[in-house]
Amino acid sequence: MSKRIVIAHLPWEGRNYLVHTLFEEESPVELTALCRESETLLGNIYVGRVEKLAPGIRGAFVSFAEQQNCFLDLSRVKEGYLLKKTPGVELRIGDEIVVQIQREAQKTKLPSATAELSLSGSALALYYGKPEIACSGRLGTEQKKRLKELGSRMFPELSGGKLPFGVIFRTASADASEEKIRREYLELSERLARIVQYGTMRSLYSCLYRASDAVPELVKRYAPLVSELVTDDRETYEICREYLINHDFKECLLTRYEDKLTTLAKKENLEHHVKQALDKRVELPSGGFLVIEPTEALTAIDVNSGKQLGGRKKEFLYSVNQEAAREIARQIRLRGISGLILIDFINMPEKEQEERLLSFLQNRVSEDPVPTKVVDMTALHLVELTRKKIRRPLAEQMGRVHE
């Protein structure tokens, strides 16, 4: 399957966005829109101050910038991250602590932060904490065994507990060479060491690491797998060029788009793709359609056949539902939908068809790099899905918040 990444400027409703798009066989499957006036905080590392404690939920509210707070889970706070601390074991109001934004603000909720600092590459993720070697849950048993043995041989300082870093082999590490893994480890460990070492010397509200200045997340995740990466943004081009060279990703062709006759967004029809990804209605090839409705608590998806057949056959019902399941898996990934998702498929007369449909849907969502699970079908024949909350959905990135 051919994959390529397009990163292009797109004017939208009076604002300028940098839209990151992953195409698979010329169909967009992931969309991220970064507004230059309000760039994402996700992954940024700050020196913050504890403003309020919430013992009942083992949390604290931490200010990381003027008039900006985040929620910190205290069950995962370690002593080493504290910069200025009052006497005693427990964290107190006024203590200064280094935090990393791990989840953006969602609707009425504050950004979520962690004290377990981490940096990610394409093959590895490093985190400040227990020096151990772990593997992504998506890797197979034999792959995990091989990579852990490789890690013990390549990073003996971790096995010996000499460095306060832990390493996680990501899914892409299965196909990465030892040289690429070694180079990425050195790059990430040096950067993380600088953050930890010099972070204790920085003043309150200092940003120790800005993720938006780093390689775009799509590039880090898919650089080993894509055949082409094209952008019309000069800064993004330079960042990606350096990244591809350093990691020896020769198979990925990087191009800076400079055609003065038409923009890259128009060439790739990005406005159309974004508009479709924001529309509540999604057409299906059979003539059916989906209606996607986000709410405060969950996202509801309704499947409609679009045809009035007096004697509809069970094969027709199943084929429409299967077609809908395939498109739903693409849409929730494309739109960045997360949390609880309820799907109202067309009712089918046989239990065996329902089981086949659930299995088919699980196979489709398993291709999503964000953990997504088909939970079950309720007594009212509603299918429950959950998808891990990582970033704001595309609609919120583009300034569209449901009523």
Side-chain angles (χ1 to χ4, degrees):
M1 178 184 295
S2 65
K3 297 182 180 182
R4 61 192 184 92
I5 296 172
V6 175
I7 303 176
H9 288 275
L10 176 67
W12 184 271
E13 297 182 348
R15 307 181 81 180
N16 180 31
Y17 292 87
L18 193 61
V19 177
H20 303 63
T21 311
L22 173 67
F23 286 91
E24 291 183 354
E25 300 295 348
E26 299 308 310
S27 177
V29 294
E30 287 193 35
L31 271 172
T32 304
L34 301 179
C35 181
R36 284 303 172 88
E37 290 82 12
S38 54
E39 290 189 351
T40 179
L41 300 174
L42 192 64
N44 291 0
I45 299 176
Y46 298 92
V47 178
R49 180 173 59 201
V50 178
E51 302 293 344
K52 183 180 179 180
L53 297 173
I57 53 175
R58 286 291 296 160
F61 295 96
V62 177
S63 60
F64 61 93
E66 294 289 349
Q67 305 300 317
Q68 284 189 288
N69 289 351
C70 61
F71 178 78
L72 175 66
D73 183 356
L74 290 183
S75 65
R76 306 182 71 175
V77 172
K78 294 181 174 62
E79 188 75 18
Y81 297 108
L82 303 176
L83 305 184
K84 295 180 181 178
K85 187 178 184 306
T86 52
V89 177
E90 296 294 328
L91 196 66
R92 299 186 182 181
I93 294 174
D95 288 347
E96 292 185 10
I97 185 171
V98 177
V99 295
Q100 183 171 28
I101 307 299
Q102 65 175 359
R103 187 180 299 162
E104 292 183 308
Q106 303 222 358
K107 300 166 186 173
T108 60
K109 296 181 180 179
L110 292 173
S112 177
T114 178
E116 297 182 335
L117 310 183
S118 63
L119 298 177
S120 296
S122 61
L124 301 175
L126 262 66
Y127 60 93
Y128 186 67
K130 186 178 181 181
E132 60 182 5
I133 298 171
C135 295
S136 165
R138 290 177 175 267
L139 293 168
T141 303
E142 289 301 315
Q143 290 175 320
K144 291 179 180 179
K145 181 179 177 181
R146 178 181 66 82
L147 290 170
K148 283 191 174 183
E149 291 174 352
L150 174 64
S152 298
R153 189 175 74 251
M154 294 179 69
F155 320 131
E157 63 274 19
L158 294 178
S159 302
K162 296 178 182 178
L163 287 178
F165 297 150
V167 171
I168 299 174
F169 282 96
R170 304 185 70 182
T171 307
S173 63
D175 301 318
S177 67
E178 290 191 22
E179 179 58 31
K180 288 181 181 179
I181 291 174
R182 189 186 306 276
R183 189 186 307 121
E184 187 166 280
Y185 169 74
L186 292 174
E187 176 187 324
L188 293 175
S189 61
E190 288 176 3
R191 185 178 300 164
L192 189 54
R194 284 197 301 270
I195 292 170
V196 173
Q197 180 180 358
Y198 296 109
T200 58
M201 307 175 189
R202 300 289 293 275
S203 60
L204 179 65
Y205 299 155
S206 294
C207 182
L208 307 181
Y209 172 74
R210 192 175 301 278
S212 60
D213 293 338
V215 182
E217 184 62 28
L218 274 182
V219 179
K220 287 196 292 185
R221 285 209 310 267
Y222 297 107
L225 306 174
V226 300
S227 58
E228 182 184 8
L229 196 169
V230 58
T231 181
D232 59 2
D233 184 70
R234 180 188 59 79
E235 183 178 346
T236 300
Y237 173 82
E238 293 298 334
I239 291 173
C240 292
R241 184 179 69 84
E242 182 179 358
Y243 180 79
L244 295 176
I245 291 174
N246 289 341
H247 292 79
D248 198 26
F249 292 140
K250 297 178 181 178
E251 294 78 13
C252 180
L253 175 64
L254 175 65
T255 304
R256 183 180 173 191
Y257 186 85
E258 297 181 294
D259 192 334
K260 296 181 179 179
L261 297 179
T262 185
T263 65
L264 179 59
K266 287 185 177 180
K267 179 177 180 293
E268 298 291 345
N269 208 14
L270 290 187
E271 185 173 354
H272 171 73
H273 293 316
V274 169
K275 184 177 180 181
Q276 281 195 324
L278 296 176
D279 198 344
K280 292 182 179 181
R281 178 165 169 144
V282 179
E283 302 295 335
L284 298 175
S286 65
F289 61 93
L290 308 175
V291 177
I292 303 176
E293 291 274 7
T295 71
E296 185 73 23
L298 53 85
T299 298
I301 302 178
D302 186 36
V303 180
N304 296 273
S305 68
K307 296 181 179 180
Q308 299 297 325
L309 298 180
R312 291 185 293 180
K313 297 181 180 180
K314 62 181 182 181
E315 292 81 9
F316 169 74
L317 298 178
Y318 181 78
S319 66
V320 174
N321 279 335
Q322 186 182 60
E323 182 182 64
R326 181 182 293 107
E327 184 62 24
I328 287 170
R330 186 178 81 93
Q331 287 294 328
I332 62 177
R333 182 180 174 188
L334 181 71
R335 298 170 183 237
I337 298 171
S338 59
L340 176 61
I341 303 167
L342 287 182
I343 306 173
D344 186 9
F345 284 104
I346 303 169
N347 289 341
M348 295 177 292
E350 296 183 3
K351 181 70 174 178
E352 181 269 339
Q353 287 183 316
E354 294 180 347
E355 293 174 351
R356 281 169 52 204
L357 181 63
L358 289 179
S359 177
F360 178 81
L361 180 59
Q362 181 61 64
N363 287 335
R364 300 304 300 185
V365 299
S366 67
E367 300 172 5
D368 192 335
V370 176
T372 307
K373 180 181 179 182
V374 177
V375 180
D376 204 352
M377 181 177 286
T378 71
L380 296 177
H381 301 281
L382 297 175
V383 176
E384 296 176 303
L385 270 75
T386 60
R387 188 170 187 265
K388 187 175 181 180
K389 294 183 179 180
I390 300 293
R391 63 176 69 247
R392 293 180 301 158
L394 179 68
E396 290 186 23
Q397 294 173 27
M398 305 293 289
R400 300 284 186 87
V401 182
H402 62 267
E403 299 296 330

